[in-house]
């Protein structure tokens, strides 16, 4: 099954919708007995987006004030608004990104994860009675593209265990894996961590090369990695290559030894059949040459040179008559 397309990486509410929410809240007047409530618009806030902290409008309000935290305290004041004078006063916790509307709704622009936390609204009525309610803002990060990393770049087949990790660890994030564009098969060699961020391959094989793809998902974004391929070393191939090389060397050495043995045997056999030197009938013309003159004429040559370049002058025609007595 091919990885399904993910949702948009950021849930961003356009200004038109935010302004519409403000206008609706402005003209919405609940019964006097309604309890003060706070909600965030949108409910799931993505980092970098704009968020409204809205409430149901109270009857006869005199002033509104927003505090950072759960207590009503001057050092925690973000901003306050006086209805009868239409005056806004900013407090120590004002960051420049907040806008307080006449109905007490607060716009929070370009929120970050540091803005996560409780916020308290204090409503003062004309009879000087007060209402207080705390709401919570949770800002989720927009996930970057995860990168798959491996603890072993060149694992050996049937020997090494590989651990693949999907991006950096992020809170409130779930992970999913695919191999060869398919969901992970059921295998005793494939193990996922508790948060599914790491995938362990026990005793990798050549069939585990991939490619692998992982996906990271949180309440406001989803992101998928680029394909990752393992380079598995095949031990059988490496061993076969080594044996082949050794076999070739041995065969070459044996051939050289056989050639040398054959040459030595040939020289040994023919060396015993050479005629000895004689003082009569030597040379092609039948002239007699003494043994001493032969030795004086030139130094003895190696046997293999005589075989390759025979010199007929050194051989003698033996006269049978010289051997017969009178």
């Amino acid at each position: 099954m091919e990885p399904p397309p993910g949702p948009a990486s950021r849930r961003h509410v356009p200004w038109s919708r935010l302004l519409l929410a403000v206008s609706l809240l402005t003209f919405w007047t609940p019964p006097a007995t309604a309890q003060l409530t706070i909600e965030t618009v949108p409910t799931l806030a993505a980092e970098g987006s704009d968020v409204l902290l809205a409430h149901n409008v109270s009857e006869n309000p005199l002033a509104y004030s927003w505090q950072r935290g759960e207590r009503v305290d001057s050092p925690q004041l973000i901003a306050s608004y006086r209805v009868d004078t239409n005056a806004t006063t900013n407090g120590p916790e004002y960051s420049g990104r907040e806008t307080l509307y006449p109905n007490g709704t607060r716009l929070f622009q370009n929120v970050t994860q540091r803005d996560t936390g409780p916020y308290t609204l204090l409503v003062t009525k004309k009879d000087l009675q007060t209402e207080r309610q705390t709401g919570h803002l949770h800002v989720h990060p927009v996930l970057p593209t995860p990168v798959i990393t491996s603890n072993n770049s060149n694992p050996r087949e049937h020997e090494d265990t590989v651990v693949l990790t999907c991006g950096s660890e992020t809170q409130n994030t779930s992970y999913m894996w695919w191999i060869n564009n398919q969901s992970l098969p059921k295998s005793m060699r494939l193990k996922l961590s508790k948060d599914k961020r790491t995938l362990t391959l026990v005793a990798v094989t050549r069939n585990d090369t991939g490619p692998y793809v992982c996906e990271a998902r949180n309440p406001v974004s989803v992101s998928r990695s680029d394909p990752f391929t393992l380079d598995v070393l095949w031990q059988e191939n490496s061993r076969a290559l080594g044996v082949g090389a050794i076999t070739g060397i041995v065969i070459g050495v044996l051939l050289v030894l056989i050639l040398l043995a054959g040459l030595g045997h040939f020289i040994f056999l023919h060396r015993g059949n050479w005629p000895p030197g004689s003082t009569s009938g030597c040379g092609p013309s039948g002239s007699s040459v003494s043994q001493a003159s032969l030795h004086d004429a030139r130094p003895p040559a190696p046997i293999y040179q005589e075989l390759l370049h025979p010199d007929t002058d050194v051989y003698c025609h033996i006269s049978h008559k010289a051997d017969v007595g009178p």
Side-chain angles (χ1 to χ4, degrees):
M1 181 178 63
E2 194 169 327
S9 61
R10 176 180 297 179
R11 297 182 180 181
H12 183 77
V13 179
W15 267 95
S16 58
R17 289 179 58 185
L18 290 175
L19 293 176
L20 177 60
V22 172
S23 62
L24 290 175
L25 289 170
T26 301
F27 294 103
W28 173 44
T29 304
T33 56
Q35 185 180 2
L36 181 65
T37 59
I38 297 176
E39 63 176 335
T40 60
V41 181
T43 305
L44 299 174
E47 190 169 23
S49 65
D50 301 334
V51 179
L52 277 175
L53 290 176
H55 69 96
N56 52 339
V57 180
S58 300
E59 240 183 11
N60 302 318
L62 176 65
Y64 302 99
S65 66
W66 282 95
Q67 319 280 327
R68 178 73 185 260
E70 297 182 353
R71 295 186 306 169
V72 176
D73 196 4
S74 297
Q76 301 298 112
L77 179 65
I78 298 173
S80 63
Y81 176 78
R82 184 72 180 252
V83 176
D84 55 350
T85 61
N86 195 26
T88 301
T89 303
N90 297 325
E93 288 292 326
Y94 179 73
S95 67
R97 295 177 292 125
E98 297 91 353
T99 301
L100 189 56
Y101 292 100
N103 67 346
T105 297
R106 182 168 67 96
L107 174 65
F108 212 158
Q109 294 178 285
N110 194 24
V111 293
T112 69
Q113 293 186 69
R114 292 190 298 272
D115 298 324
T116 296
Y119 293 86
T120 300
L121 171 64
L122 178 66
V123 179
T124 303
K125 298 182 180 181
K126 291 181 180 180
D127 59 4
L128 301 183
Q129 295 294 317
T130 61
E131 289 183 285
R132 184 174 67 177
Q133 187 59 264
T134 299
H136 291 266
L137 172 64
H138 192 102
V139 181
H140 300 274
V142 177
L143 297 174
T145 301
V147 177
I148 297 178
T149 57
S150 171
N151 68 327
N152 193 337
S153 57
N154 299 111
R156 294 166 296 180
E157 188 176 29
H158 302 305
E159 295 185 18
D160 292 335
T161 294
V162 176
V163 179
L164 302 179
T165 304
C166 182
S168 57
E169 187 175 4
T170 309
Q171 291 184 347
N172 301 318
T173 302
S174 59
Y175 300 90
M176 189 174 295
W177 289 86
W178 289 271
I179 178 173
N180 296 323
N181 293 325
Q182 302 290 326
S183 299
L184 292 180
K186 293 182 178 180
S187 173
M188 296 296 294
R189 296 189 305 102
L190 299 180
K191 298 180 180 180
L192 284 171
S193 61
K194 186 176 181 180
D195 62 357
K196 298 184 180 181
R197 181 170 161 257
T198 60
L199 172 64
T200 301
L201 293 81
V202 180
V204 293
T205 69
R206 66 192 68 183
N207 297 324
D208 296 330
T209 56
Y212 295 84
V213 172
C214 75
E215 179 184 273
R217 182 187 296 263
N218 70 3
V220 297
S221 63
V222 59
S223 188
R224 191 170 296 130
S225 72
D226 293 329
F228 178 85
T229 303
L230 274 177
D231 185 14
V232 180
L233 300 180
W234 299 1
Q235 291 294 323
E236 290 81 4
N237 288 355
S238 300
R239 190 176 298 115
L241 181 60
V243 172
I246 294 174
T247 303
I249 294 174
V250 171
I251 293 175
V253 171
L254 290 176
L255 288 176
V256 172
L257 291 176
I258 291 173
L259 289 175
L260 291 176
L263 179 60
H265 185 66
F266 175 83
I267 293 174
F268 177 80
L269 292 178
H270 288 75
R271 184 176 184 182
N273 295 331
W274 290 339
S278 175
T279 57
S280 61
C282 297
S285 60
S287 59
S288 297
V289 181
S290 66
Q291 189 70 23
S293 63
L294 286 174
H295 285 288
D296 294 339
R298 64 176 183 176
I303 296 174
Y304 69 88
Q305 288 189 8
E306 293 182 1
L307 291 174
L308 297 175
H309 305 288
D311 188 353
T312 57
D313 292 339
V314 300
Y315 298 102
C316 300
H317 296 281
I318 300 176
S319 176
H320 296 283
K321 294 180 179 182
D323 297 334
V324 180

